[in-house]
Amino acid sequence: MNADILFLNNKTMEELGVLDMQQAISDVEKAYVLNANGDVISPGKCVLRWGKTPEDENIYGRINAMPGYIGGEYDMAGIKWIGSGPMNYKKGLPRASVTVILNDPDTKLPVCIADGTAVSTMRTGASGGIAIKLLAKSNASVMTICGAGAQAPKQLEAALIARPSIRELYIYDIRPENARRFEETVNRTYPGIKTVVTDNIEEATRRSDIIDCVTLAAEPFIDGSWLKPGSLVMNMADFEVSYSCVERADKIVVDYWESVKHRMISTVALMWRDGLIKDSDIHAELGQILSGMKAKRENDDEVIYFNAVGAGILDIAVTTRCYRKAMATGKGVKLSFWE
Ligand SMILES: NC(=O)c1ccc[n+]([C@@H]2O[C@H](COP(=O)([O-])OP(=O)(O)OC[C@H]3O[C@@H](n4cnc5c(N)ncnc54)[C@H](O)[C@@H]3O)[C@@H](O)[C@H]2O)c1
């Protein structure tokens, strides 16, 4: 009775194409459609939280367990185990660290342990890019990214695939050094894009076609009255935008509504808790739009609110692609699980 596990570290994952955004978008689109067709098992996140209040999470951190099974061409089970140490920056470490374990859906045995840190930023960038493709106005040219951390570069990369018309980028972060570091990266990578680091989020919002929030905010910093006609406001993390942004929206779109409610940290989830939003107020999940069951943006004047909380099946899809390539090309380190 033998069983092996393939170990894939960050460098090997890069060699296997984890940083290919077009591929990540393709994986994430397929995962959304499989979800819309019921070909996944995707229970809610289990949160291991330190501290006594949700605000404590921003000091003491958490580890989230996100298990899932994804069918279709992936046919793979597994779990994303994501640690968040908000104070890690003081030790020169990234806030988030991700381990993905893949399990054979037949035997349920583990077959792969992979560094999923890049997987996570790639698939979250891909989710943002897909939302922009379906929900941003056609010729969107001005974007604001709030939160210039690990997610920001991949949000921008995917946004530019979805809307190459973006020419101007506002960068807003409570830590100005992070905003400036991200600006340098953008200037090096995309010299054609004009960048503005700003602490005036109202002005940036008023000018932007796309406002993409990837912060750690637990207090909203964007007001709905600032949103211009045709704008898309993306709440990719917690309580980042005010209730008025959702009230202003002609369409409310989410990645997974049950997960949004289960996680209960984003603006639209809190409004549902407070009885201000009903299930029927949600226009669509992304998978329903991708599979043609619901409409995408219908004109250039609609204000659209989008919220993503993510799901382990997205990470499992991307990691499975890399794992299958590793098996085909002999990359990675085989570990003997049972000898
Ligand atoms: N929706 C998803 O699927 C998904 C996936 C991964 C991460 N996330 C979320 O995205 C967020 C960002 O992740 P990351 O890995 O880039 O984190 P990070 O710690 O690397 O960066 C976060 C950045 O936000 C800034 N920030 C914090 N509070 C702010 C505020 N109130 N206003 C403006 N800027 C603020 C920080 O200074 C930092 O630069 C996290 O909340 C994370 O949980 C969502």
Side-chain angles (χ1 to χ4, degrees):
M1 185 179 59
N2 292 318
D4 288 335
I5 297 179
L6 193 63
F7 178 72
L8 304 173
N9 75 5
N10 59 337
K11 285 283 157 223
T12 312
M13 288 296 281
E14 282 180 23
E15 289 163 19
L16 293 166
V18 72
L19 297 177
D20 183 332
M21 184 55 82
Q22 296 278 11
Q23 282 283 0
I25 289 172
S26 164
D27 289 327
V28 172
E29 284 192 345
K30 287 177 199 161
Y32 281 142
V33 172
L34 287 165
N35 181 63
N37 294 336
D39 197 4
V40 305
I41 306 170
S42 187
K45 282 180 197 182
C46 170
V47 182
L48 180 62
R49 184 182 287 120
W50 277 258
K52 292 192 168 53
T53 65
E55 291 73 34
D56 280 352
E57 208 174 288
N58 279 341
I59 303 167
Y60 304 111
R62 62 171 190 248
I63 312 181
N64 287 351
M66 299 163 70
Y69 163 78
I70 177 162
E73 69 190 66
Y74 299 98
D75 191 26
M76 186 63 80
I79 188 165
K80 174 188 196 183
W81 182 228
I82 171 165
S84 169
M87 297 300 141
N88 279 4
Y89 73 95
K90 293 182 179 169
K91 297 177 182 162
L93 291 169
R95 180 189 61 80
S97 58
V98 184
T99 312
V100 176
I101 302 173
L102 298 180
N103 294 71
D104 182 313
D106 176 28
T107 64
K108 319 293 190 281
L109 282 174
V111 293
C112 176
I113 298 176
D115 171 45
T117 310
V119 171
S120 183
T121 53
M122 292 301 292
R123 66 77 151 155
T124 308
S127 293
I130 295 163
I132 290 170
K133 182 171 93 173
L134 300 172
L135 305 174
K137 65 192 268 194
S138 49
N139 60 347
S141 61
V142 184
M143 178 171 184
T144 294
I145 293 187
C146 307
Q151 302 295 335
K154 299 302 167 195
Q155 290 294 312
L156 180 62
E157 184 180 350
L160 290 169
I161 291 174
R163 287 291 178 278
S165 49
I166 294 169
R167 288 279 166 273
E168 202 174 340
L169 176 71
Y170 285 89
I171 303 171
Y172 170 76
D173 197 295
I174 45 164
R175 299 227 302 271
E177 67 278 16
N178 289 10
R180 279 194 298 274
R181 195 170 50 233
F182 178 45
E183 181 181 43
E184 281 165 25
T185 308
V186 177
N187 291 160
R188 232 183 4 259
T189 319
Y190 311 103
I193 294 195
K194 182 184 166 209
T195 52
V196 183
V197 169
T198 185
D199 57 6
N200 187 342
I201 187 59
E202 177 176 349
E203 186 199 357
T205 303
R206 285 187 184 281
R207 291 219 51 235
S208 291
D209 303 308
I210 301 168
I211 305 104
D212 185 349
C213 302
V214 272
T215 72
L216 307 180
E219 286 288 331
F221 53 87
I222 295 186
D223 193 86
S225 64
W226 305 342
L227 298 171
K228 68 173 184 176
S231 58
L232 166 66
V233 61
M234 301 164 64
N235 179 189
M236 300 298 288
D238 303 3
F239 191 22
E240 304 176 287
V241 309
S242 70
Y243 284 11
S244 55
C245 288
V246 180
E247 284 157 1
R248 244 327 276 289
D250 298 294
K251 287 192 170 92
I252 302 170
V253 179
V254 297
D255 58 351
Y256 306 103
W257 181 227
E258 288 308 316
S259 305
V260 168
K261 290 190 287 186
H262 179 264
R263 186 80 178 95
M264 194 48 71
I265 51 170
S266 58
T267 307
V268 70
L270 299 174
M271 290 178 77
W272 179 82
R273 179 200 64 190
D274 293 348
L276 300 168
I277 285 283
K278 302 184 295 299
D279 290 350
S280 57
D281 292 324
I282 306 304
H283 167 69
E285 294 185 341
L286 278 189
Q288 295 173 315
I289 302 179
L290 284 166
S291 50
M293 291 149 71
K294 296 280 178 73
K296 58 182 186 177
R297 171 180 285 275
E298 289 164 282
N299 60 61
D300 274 351
D301 292 324
E302 284 179 312
V303 171
I304 300 185
Y305 165 89
F306 173 68
N307 175 222
V309 290
I313 52 168
L314 306 179
D315 303 84
I316 292 166
V318 174
T319 308
T320 299
R321 166 172 52 84
C322 296
Y323 164 69
R324 297 243 163 90
K325 190 165 174 195
M327 292 298 280
T329 56
K331 286 201 188 303
V333 178
K334 267 195 184 147
L335 306 172
S336 178
F337 184 57
W338 286 342
E339 288 188 355

